[in-house]
Amino acid sequence: MASYYVGVDVGGMTIKLGFFSDTGELLEKWNIPTDVSDDGKHILTDIVDSIEEKRESYPGNIAGIGMGIPGPMTDDGVVLKCANFGWGVFNVKNALAGLTGVGNVKVGNDANVAALGEMWKGGGRGYDSIVMVTLGTGCGGGIIYNGKVLTGSKGAGGEIGHIKVERNETERCGCGNRGCLEQYASAVGIVRMAERDLPESSCLYGGEITAKAVFDGAKAGDAYCVEIVERFGRYLGTALSDVAHVVDPEVFVIGGGVSAAGQIILDVVKKYYDENAMYALKDTKFRLAELGNDAGIYGAVRMVLFK
C-alpha cells in the first residue's frame, strides 16, 4: 500500500495543502480559505476535512502531516498565541494528531518551515545552514543550522523582522516597538518610506505607490526610487550582517512577494552587508528563493519525511 505525506501552510487568508509521495515528489496541491471565525476553531477541522476529501484520489496510508503556522511555536508543537487567528496557547500538534489519527505530525513557525523547504528543494539547495528572509507584507525569517530548524527557547528564533535598526523612529511597529526592520524591509515598509517626502519629480508622484513600483522606478533610474531602494538595502543588509555574526550561515535566501524584483534586491542588500560584515563572513552567498508560495508545503513535508 502506498504511503503519502501531507504538507500544510496556514496563512491569514488561505491554507495551502499538498500531497507528496514518500520520495518527496509533489503530487497535487490545492488551497482552501482560512476560516478565522470563532477564534479560529474551525481551522484544524477544515484542514482535516480537506485532506479526507483528497484521500479518495490517493488510496493508501498517510504516513505524516507537517504544518506551518504564522506564530511562535515550541519544538513540541505548542503555539504561543496566533493573533491573526485568535488562537491562544495550545498544542496544535496533539490536536491535529487526535483529529487525523496520524502519529507522525510536526508543526512549526511558517517562516522556519518555508526556510526548510527552500533548503531542501529551492534556493538553499546544496547547503544545510541557511537563513531565509521573507519580504512580504511583513518581514519574517527562518534559520536552519546543520539541517535543523533553530526555533529558540520560546519559539521566536528567526524573527529578524523585529531587530531594531532605527533608534529615532517615532511610529510603532505592529509588535509594539519602534524602529523594527519590518518597518523598512517589507512591502508595507517600502511604501511607508516612499510616501514620506515624495517629490513631484518622481515617477511615483500621483500614482499608486507599491513596493513593485518603487523597484521598477529604481531600475528605470528614478532618483527618488533609487534613494528608497538604497535605504531598504542599508537597513536589511546591515541587519543581516548582525545575524551573520551570530549564526554564520552558508547562504541567505530571500523570498516573499517583494523578492520578485529580482537581482536588484540581492545587489543592494549584499552591498550593505559587505560594508558591515567582518572579513570571515564576506563570502556568504545570497540567493533568491525558488519555490514561491510552495515553500511552506515543501518544508512542512520535509519535517515529517526526514525525522
Side-chain angles (χ1 to χ4, degrees):
M1 180 178 292
S3 293
Y4 301 100
Y5 292 80
V6 181
V8 184
D9 181 15
V10 184
M13 299 292 291
T14 302
I15 299 169
K16 294 174 280 293
L17 302 99
F19 255 88
F20 290 75
S21 72
D22 56 7
T23 61
E25 177 189 1
L26 176 60
L27 303 173
E28 183 178 355
K29 62 180 178 177
W30 71 99
N31 298 334
I32 61 173
T34 306
D35 183 356
V36 297
S37 64
D38 300 323
D39 290 331
K41 74 176 185 180
H42 306 293
I43 291 174
L44 293 183
T45 54
D46 286 349
I47 290 170
V48 174
D49 290 345
S50 186
I51 291 173
E52 286 301 314
E53 289 177 8
K54 289 294 179 181
R55 287 190 72 174
E56 296 178 4
S57 302
Y58 298 96
N61 175 53
I62 293 182
I65 301 174
M67 183 162 63
I69 292 173
M73 300 287 307
T74 66
D75 286 335
D76 56 357
V78 176
V79 60
L80 304 176
K81 294 189 178 181
C82 189
N84 292 340
F85 306 153
W87 282 358
V89 178
F90 74 104
N91 194 307
V92 182
K93 172 185 173 180
N94 289 349
L96 186 59
L99 288 169
T100 61
V102 176
N104 181 17
V105 174
K106 291 188 179 180
V107 184
N109 169 268
D110 60 347
N112 289 334
V113 170
L116 200 58
E118 287 289 343
M119 183 201 74
W120 183 32
K121 296 283 190 178
R125 257 186 338 274
Y127 302 97
D128 64 5
S129 293
I130 79 168
V131 172
M132 171 85 174
V133 184
T134 53
L135 304 176
T137 304
C139 175
I143 299 172
I144 310 295
Y145 183 72
N146 285 341
K148 303 291 185 181
V149 175
L150 181 63
T151 57
S153 64
K154 299 178 178 64
E159 290 286 356
I160 66 172
H162 300 291
I163 296 173
K164 185 180 286 292
V165 295
E166 178 54 72
R167 300 291 173 182
N168 298 315
E169 181 58 61
T170 58
E171 295 182 17
R172 288 191 182 276
C173 174
C175 74
N177 291 330
R178 296 183 177 92
C180 292
L181 178 63
E182 184 168 283
Q183 292 181 276
Y184 315 97
S186 65
V188 171
I190 291 165
V191 169
R192 176 176 163 273
M193 289 192 295
E195 288 178 339
R196 290 181 173 180
D197 305 318
L198 175 61
E200 294 184 16
S201 59
S202 173
C203 65
L204 300 176
Y205 192 82
E208 181 184 6
I209 302 177
T210 63
K212 181 180 185 302
V214 171
F215 282 106
D216 286 347
K219 292 174 185 177
D222 182 281
Y224 184 68
C225 291
V226 169
E227 177 186 334
I228 298 302
V229 169
E230 288 288 322
R231 289 182 62 194
F232 155 85
R234 182 171 65 251
Y235 283 122
L236 183 53
T238 303
L240 293 185
S241 75
D242 292 341
V243 171
H245 284 98
V246 177
V247 179
D248 187 15
E250 296 170 286
V251 61
F252 285 101
V253 179
I254 299 180
V258 175
S259 71
Q263 189 64 38
I264 188 173
I265 287 182
L266 298 185
D267 291 343
V268 72
V269 173
K270 187 69 161 62
K271 169 185 171 181
Y272 287 100
Y273 172 88
D274 284 343
E275 284 187 7
N276 291 279
M278 65 182 290
Y279 177 78
L281 299 171
K282 290 188 185 297
D283 64 348
T284 303
K285 306 294 190 296
F286 281 74
R287 300 279 189 270
L288 290 172
E290 297 178 4
L291 298 178
N293 290 332
D294 293 342
I297 59 173
Y298 271 99
V301 164
R302 174 64 172 71
M303 287 193 298
V304 290
L305 187 57
F306 302 101
K307 300 179 185 180

